[in-house]
Amino acid sequence: VYHQGGVMAFAIIADHEKYQLRPVLAKGKIPGRATVSQMNAPEAIATINASYFATNGIVLGNTKIDGVTASTTYFIRSAIGIREDGSTIFARQTYRGVLQFNGEEVVVGGVNIERSPDSVVVYNGWQGATTGTNNFGVEFVVQNNIVTNIFRDKGNNYIPPDGFIISAHGAAAEAFNGVYVGDEIIFEEDYIIVEHGEDFNESIHILSAGPTLVKDGEIYVTADAEQFPNDIRVGRAPRSAVGVTKYGDYIFAVVDGRQAHSKGCTLTEWARILKNNFGAIEAINLDGGGSTELFFKGSLINKPSDGKERLIGDALTILKK
């Protein structure tokens, strides 16, 4: 616990050799919204709120769970990548997905996001049972890299558990005019790091939020570079973060704000507490404000500024290995 100068913060630090990290989606899919306590599984040691999200529950960040992309964003944002051995990567990164077929390449607008006019989106099992799309497009069912069905002017189609659906509208759909059942389509994905460092594609889990707060043991706030709006970038607020110590141990941390017992932090103040008081050598900011919550062994550690739990899009958990 950190309690100085009218600021109260809490951190959980977990041995990386005994524990592991895993993102959790609200209601197990996108879109969805649930409270942190609802996402705090009985076997979880700790659970913290995670990414930014839209009001309908779509996660606004690059997210990968168990090796499968769950959501994407076109912004360059800070993320944590978690490898199979539990080691981590912290860096700013962006996503690029490409569909390859009949000698052509089409860049997708995203994964499990709302399909906008003249765009192409890939939907997989993290979207839930169906695509949730309207009838004004074309959808290709792909299993084992082979097109198994095509639906024209019929949306909201069922997603195969062992495959995905390509949903295209308008001008974007024209690129698929020569695609038929039985054709091969390869979906290549790349989580592109924008700084020198290790490869995010090695990660089995990825969770992005931002900005970066601590990098290589130094305070390093990237709010301007990541084009965050003023409500996140400026002023004091309740905040959440995930980081690691010099030993590679995991840090979940929150600071209360907008309350008598704690006025909250600026991003730079938050970075200083994470580095100097909680031992972070790498840390990124998570969604904050009324979303800031930290559960430890089934109990809520901090006091949410809304006076109650907020419905959010996803969380990050610490589990025993």
Side-chain angles (χ1 to χ4, degrees):
V1 178
Y2 171 93
H3 195 189
Q4 295 180 31
V7 174
M8 193 165 191
F10 307 85
I12 305 296
I13 302 175
D15 185 338
H16 72 283
E17 294 184 351
K18 298 179 181 178
Y19 299 96
Q20 60 185 328
L21 300 182
R22 187 177 186 273
V24 179
L25 298 178
K27 299 182 179 178
K29 65 177 185 176
I30 291 176
R33 292 177 67 192
T35 63
V36 176
S37 61
Q38 289 170 336
M39 288 183 273
N40 182 56
E43 64 272 20
I45 300 300
T47 305
I48 194 170
N49 68 291
S51 307
Y52 302 100
F53 59 95
T55 54
N56 63 357
I58 289 178
V59 174
L60 304 176
N62 294 331
T63 309
K64 187 190 215 180
I65 306 174
D66 299 333
V68 179
T69 299
S71 69
T72 60
T73 178
Y74 57 85
F75 285 108
I76 294 172
R77 287 284 155 86
S78 296
I80 175 176
I82 304 146
R83 301 185 189 91
E84 196 159 9
D85 66 359
S87 61
T88 56
I89 310 168
F90 288 82
R92 288 182 295 145
Q93 47 79 65
T94 187
Y95 173 86
R96 188 174 190 266
V98 177
L99 294 162
Q100 300 171 341
F101 55 92
N102 299 341
E104 302 288 332
E105 283 194 350
V106 172
V107 177
V108 304
V111 175
N112 297 337
I113 61 173
E114 187 174 353
R115 189 193 69 200
S116 55
D118 300 315
S119 72
V120 54
V121 174
V122 169
Y123 294 102
N124 61 34
W126 288 123
Q127 170 74 10
T130 64
T131 60
T133 50
N134 59 34
N135 292 329
F136 304 108
V138 56
E139 298 197 333
F140 301 84
V141 182
V142 181
Q143 295 171 277
N144 298 317
N145 299 328
I146 300 297
V147 178
T148 58
N149 211 338
I150 301 174
F151 297 98
R152 299 186 185 278
D153 301 318
K154 178 186 176 300
N156 200 30
N157 293 294
Y158 283 98
I159 303 167
D162 59 344
F164 57 91
I165 284 183
I166 300 163
S167 185
H169 174 269
E174 295 176 7
F176 297 88
N177 285 345
V179 175
Y180 301 95
V181 170
D183 286 354
E184 181 181 55
I185 295 185
I186 305 296
F187 184 31
E188 295 283 350
E189 298 182 282
D190 191 9
Y191 286 86
I192 304 165
I193 195 167
V194 299
E195 300 156 322
H196 296 297
E198 299 157 285
D199 191 352
F200 257 91
N201 293 315
E202 297 174 0
S203 305
I204 59 169
H205 307 307
I206 296 173
L207 189 145
S208 73
T212 295
L213 299 171
V214 182
K215 187 166 184 63
D216 297 327
E218 301 295 333
I219 294 170
Y220 184 72
V221 180
T222 59
D224 291 339
E226 297 184 44
Q227 299 179 311
F228 276 103
N230 284 347
D231 63 331
I232 295 169
R233 187 167 53 86
V234 178
R236 295 179 176 275
R239 299 191 187 272
S240 303
V242 59
V244 292
T245 70
K246 64 181 180 181
Y247 305 108
D249 295 337
Y250 311 124
I251 303 169
F252 281 8
V254 296
V255 59
D256 280 343
R258 303 171 184 161
Q259 299 174 77
H261 74 280
S262 183
K263 59 188 176 183
C265 288
T266 66
L267 287 170
T268 301
E269 289 168 342
W270 187 215
R272 189 176 297 117
I273 291 170
L274 290 164
K275 172 182 175 288
N276 295 342
N277 299 92
F278 297 150
I281 63 162
E282 303 284 343
I284 63 168
N285 194 57
L286 301 173
D287 188 19
S291 299
T292 286
E293 284 187 44
L294 177 59
F295 272 77
F296 177 61
K297 293 186 176 179
S299 297
L300 181 60
I301 298 300
N302 69 308
K303 294 184 178 179
S305 62
D306 287 353
K308 61 180 181 179
E309 287 194 77
R310 177 180 288 184
L311 295 170
I312 63 173
D314 67 349
L316 189 60
T317 60
I318 297 174
L319 305 162
K320 282 187 177 179
K321 280 191 172 180

